Amino acid sequence: MQINTVQTSAFGDQKPGTSGLRKKVKVFQHPHYLENFVQSIFDTLIEKEGMPTDATLAVGGDGRYYNRHAIQTIIQMAAANGFARVIVGQAGILSTPAVSHIIRKYKTFGGMILSASHNQGGVDGDFGIKYNISNGGPAPEKITDEVFAKSKVITAYKIADLAEIDVDTLGETSFNGGKFTVQVINAVQDYADLMQSLFDFSAIKNLLASGFQIKFDAMHAVTGPYAQEIFINRLGAPAHSLMNCVPSEDFGGGHPDPNLTYAEDLVKIMFAGDKAPDFGAASDGDGDRNMILGKNFFVTPSDSLAVLAANATLVPAYAKGIAGVARSMPTSGAVDRVAAKLNIPCYETPTGWKFFGNLMDAGKVTLCGEESFGTSSNHVREKDGLWAVLFWLNVLAQKNTEKTKASVEQILKSHWLEYGRNVYSRHDFEAIPTEAANIVMAHIKAQFESLPNQTFGSYTVKTCDDFSYHDSIDGSISNNQGVRILFVDGSRIVFRLSGSGTEGATLRIYLEAFEPDSAKQSVDAQVALAEMIQIALKISQLKEKTGRDTPTVIT
Ligand code: G16
């Protein structure tokens, strides 16, 4: 096996965002761009963690354009940089939670996930790479910061001269007298087995056999094969329960983001009146996000987390109770109310799944969630779309017996009755010129001293700040994680720039108000939050500074 050292020069823009490096495919296709970033990861690992001689790397992606090319390059570079083994999903496919599970199950050194998640794919779309560490979770900032530092000074990378690996055929190929091996594994089996070990599959099977109708939309992305195995083969759902379940390199030309805007086809089916299925769900490009719908009903991700926490003991894996919960700062406080009642801790972290890893490893939390359609537990160290869907189905199976019936909407309404409702919405303004977005954020921060005690209509500002997180496990501090305007009555507006987009800046405005009065809990969130939306526009001067006041996406 010949190892070549290739001279290169640094790119200045390889800074990992909220979840790995995401850029246009055309940027990744620039000569040496992919290789520079992969080498910077390997150099960081060798320096910070020391590479054991038997190190294994798990590699897989969401099937988007450029995955296949990147996988071959990563295998060749892993061979040249001292890995002993690479485990690849068949056809290069592995969902993000499946990679996390494989890292944990086979005790690999780490894993590389090739995905730009919910961003569009295809030749003109986005590509991305993220590195996950040996606990199965996204690399923490101390690693991603170092990767960026190395990427700015890189001068050479190492790559082995290997024949192309047939990633479509299961099996092992060895090189260099067995010193380096590539194993192509079934992408679905291990993950489906894990799900079956957590949930009551026979109860869900009975629910589906009783005529309870579901619709799952894989959005032409990675969860298609997983859904086929789990819902059809193992749970006996009829074939028409699935839609868009064949992964395609450009996600059928769509935007694989499971929200009310981009999962439009599913939303139409679920809001079709009486003939709508009882339960609907969608997942994103790499299978870590989920959207939950009932018949003519949308469940916000924040509420979903709260409902799962409140009902956790109905699921075999969590029957003995949960140790604690965590949510990202912009996620609503609905789960905090459940935690208070269960008398378990609730942690508030910055946006990004990587911040949950330490808490889970330390046994402090069992369930975690984010408003960005992410929910999961300590069964892996990533958010997990299908896990959330199965959790809901397991809860529904327990609440729909011969004697009792409960729809998704009823479950939510009784939850609000018991805990009150955290009315919540997020307004996204995508592709704003970066400079204009920075001016908006600076303008809000400049008002930190003058805002407290000011009254806007029915709301009076109590405090405002830029959220900082102190990780109680490793002591690290993460600053500038989102601007919070907190009102006297507990309502809040959060402004934050996305760290996962690839075009200009995306400004997110998160709005939350608490409604304890059951008579008002059914009011549409946009109506209930209308005044706060105007306050957010006024404080930020968004229209004046960007020309924009209509969100691209409302969730
Ligand atoms: C990623 C992260 C999530 C984060 C989300 C949104 O999701 O894994 O933890 O909440 O981005 O981040 P932002 O608001 O910065 O765009 P995914 O599904 O894109 O990997």
Side-chain angles (χ1 to χ4, degrees):
M1 185 169 75
Q2 188 184 321
I3 293 172
N4 298 318
T5 299
V6 180
Q7 300 306 311
T8 186
S9 44
F11 298 89
D13 66 347
Q14 297 193 322
K15 183 172 170 52
T18 310
S19 182
L21 182 69
R22 290 181 193 171
K23 298 281 176 195
K24 293 281 168 212
V25 166
K26 294 216 154 61
V27 174
F28 268 103
Q29 284 174 324
H30 198 92
H32 311 307
Y33 195 89
L34 170 71
E35 290 85 349
N36 276 18
F37 189 66
V38 172
Q39 187 66 51
S40 302
I41 295 175
F42 288 157
D43 286 346
T44 302
L45 298 177
I46 291 164
E47 182 185 297
K48 289 232 165 223
E49 319 240 299
M51 175 98 69
T53 50
D54 61 349
T56 298
L57 183 72
V59 182
D62 60 10
R64 71 177 60 223
Y65 182 76
Y66 214 52
N67 260 13
R68 284 178 176 269
H69 172 86
I71 284 172
Q72 298 293 338
T73 302
I74 290 167
I75 291 171
Q76 291 160 3
M77 292 185 68
N81 279 278
F83 278 90
R85 192 177 189 83
V86 173
I87 297 178
V88 194
Q90 191 174 20
I93 293 278
L94 280 176
S95 75
T96 287
V99 172
S100 185
H101 177 51
I102 282 164
I103 292 172
R104 295 167 68 77
K105 179 170 178 182
Y106 298 108
K107 303 199 174 8
T108 77
F109 187 67
M112 270 191 201
I113 303 170
L114 310 175
S115 172
S117 188
H118 54 288
N119 297 8
Q120 275 179 297
V123 184
D124 297 318
D126 292 352
F127 186 73
I129 299 191
K130 52 180 173 170
Y131 181 76
N132 282 29
I133 57 175
S134 59
N135 75 350
E141 280 183 334
K142 63 174 191 267
I143 291 186
T144 53
D145 288 349
E146 186 57 34
V147 170
F148 181 43
K150 293 216 180 313
S151 77
K152 287 192 284 190
V153 294
I154 189 169
T155 55
Y157 60 84
K158 286 198 278 182
I159 187 158
D161 210 353
L162 293 187
E164 187 164 312
I165 301 292
D166 173 9
V167 293
D168 293 303
T169 307
L170 298 178
E172 283 196 7
T173 315
S174 285
F175 300 89
N176 208 13
K179 290 202 180 104
F180 179 69
T181 303
V182 180
Q183 182 186 6
V184 179
I185 61 163
N186 180 305
V188 170
Q189 181 88 30
D190 288 314
Y191 178 81
D193 290 348
L194 174 65
M195 292 302 112
Q196 195 154 0
S197 74
L198 300 173
F199 298 106
D200 186 343
F201 268 35
S202 70
I204 301 174
K205 207 171 177 174
N206 289 341
L207 175 75
L208 300 182
S210 74
F212 187 92
Q213 303 238 353
I214 65 166
K215 195 78 164 175
F216 176 77
D217 185 354
M219 304 192 83
H220 305 277
V222 77
T223 50
Y226 295 85
Q228 176 72 33
E229 172 63 15
I230 293 170
F231 296 122
I232 310 295
N233 301 353
R234 299 198 187 195
L235 292 169
H240 63 76
S241 307
L242 305 186
M243 60 193 276
N244 303 324
C245 275
V246 178
S248 88
E249 287 198 330
D250 68 348
F251 308 117
H255 204 132
D257 195 356
N259 59 38
L260 294 172
T261 302
Y262 295 125
E264 193 190 357
D265 293 345
L266 175 70
V267 171
K268 273 193 196 134
I269 293 169
M270 293 306 301
F271 282 83
D274 284 347
K275 62 178 196 292
D278 301 295
F279 177 84
S283 194
D284 69 331
D286 60 331
D288 56 2
R289 295 185 175 207
N290 72 91
M291 174 171 68
I292 302 295
L293 300 165
K295 198 190 263 291
N296 308 302
F297 194 81
F298 166 65
V299 183
T300 70
S302 298
D303 276 344
S304 178
L305 173 64
V307 168
L308 299 190
N311 290 285
T313 51
L314 297 179
V315 170
Y318 315 103
K320 291 191 181 138
I322 50 178
V325 291
R327 63 164 173 86
S328 65
M329 180 275 282
T331 303
S332 96
V335 75
D336 304 36
R337 298 175 192 282
V338 177
K341 193 155 193 176
L342 295 175
N343 200 19
I344 55 172
C346 176
Y347 296 84
E348 184 179 39
T349 62
T351 294
W353 206 263
K354 59 192 169 204
F355 293 103
F356 295 138
N358 280 345
L359 294 169
M360 287 198 243
D361 286 348
K364 304 270 186 206
V365 301
T366 309
L367 300 189
C368 303
E370 295 186 279
E371 49 63 42
S372 56
F373 294 86
T375 342
S376 193
S377 83
N378 57 359
H379 67 288
V380 287
R381 292 293 181 275
E382 279 282 2
K383 53 193 196 278
D384 190 342
L386 283 167
W387 170 91
V389 176
L390 288 164
F391 201 132
W392 265 96
L393 288 174
N394 200 150
V395 169
L396 283 157
Q398 296 300 332
K399 290 185 182 270
N400 281 278
T401 61
E402 278 179 13
K403 291 191 195 128
T404 61
K405 293 278 166 258
S407 66
V408 171
E409 181 172 354
Q410 283 160 348
I411 290 176
L412 255 298
K413 290 198 167 153
S414 27
H415 184 91
W416 294 338
L417 210 54
E418 184 173 352
Y419 296 94
R421 179 181 177 196
N422 286 66
V423 186
Y424 187 84
S425 184
R426 184 177 104 184
H427 288 208
D428 293 341
F429 298 83
E430 294 177 351
I432 297 178
T434 306
E435 201 184 325
N438 289 336
I439 288 172
V440 171
M441 292 302 283
H443 176 70
I444 305 166
K445 288 184 202 175
Q447 299 168 72
F448 275 1
E449 279 188 20
S450 59
L451 279 174
N453 301 320
Q454 267 195 58
T455 298
F456 297 85
S458 10
Y459 297 89
T460 301
V461 178
K462 188 176 173 199
T463 54
C464 36
D465 66 6
D466 199 342
F467 182 64
S468 279
Y469 178 60
H470 177 216
D471 187 317
S472 56
I473 311 298
D474 68 10
S476 61
I477 291 173
S478 304
N479 292 321
N480 307 318
Q481 298 295 326
V483 167
R484 308 188 288 184
I485 316 268
L486 307 172
F487 296 94
V488 170
D489 71 348
S491 311
R492 60 178 192 157
I493 301 173
V494 175
F495 297 89
R496 199 184 142 264
L497 294 180
S498 158
S500 65
T502 58
E503 236 178 287
T506 294
L507 176 72
R508 306 202 194 284
I509 304 182
Y510 312 81
L511 307 132
E512 178 177 1
F514 183 61
E515 182 54 80
D517 182 351
S518 62
K520 296 187 194 154
Q521 284 171 351
S522 292
V523 175
D524 179 80
Q526 301 312 315
V527 175
L529 297 168
E531 192 182 353
M532 283 182 71
I533 294 165
Q534 292 312 314
I535 297 170
L537 293 176
K538 182 161 187 203
I539 292 177
S540 63
Q541 296 274 292
L542 187 66
K543 177 135 195 218
E544 293 77 357
K545 297 195 183 306
T546 67
R548 303 268 297 271
D549 63 353
T550 309
T552 329
V553 177
I554 295 181
T555 43

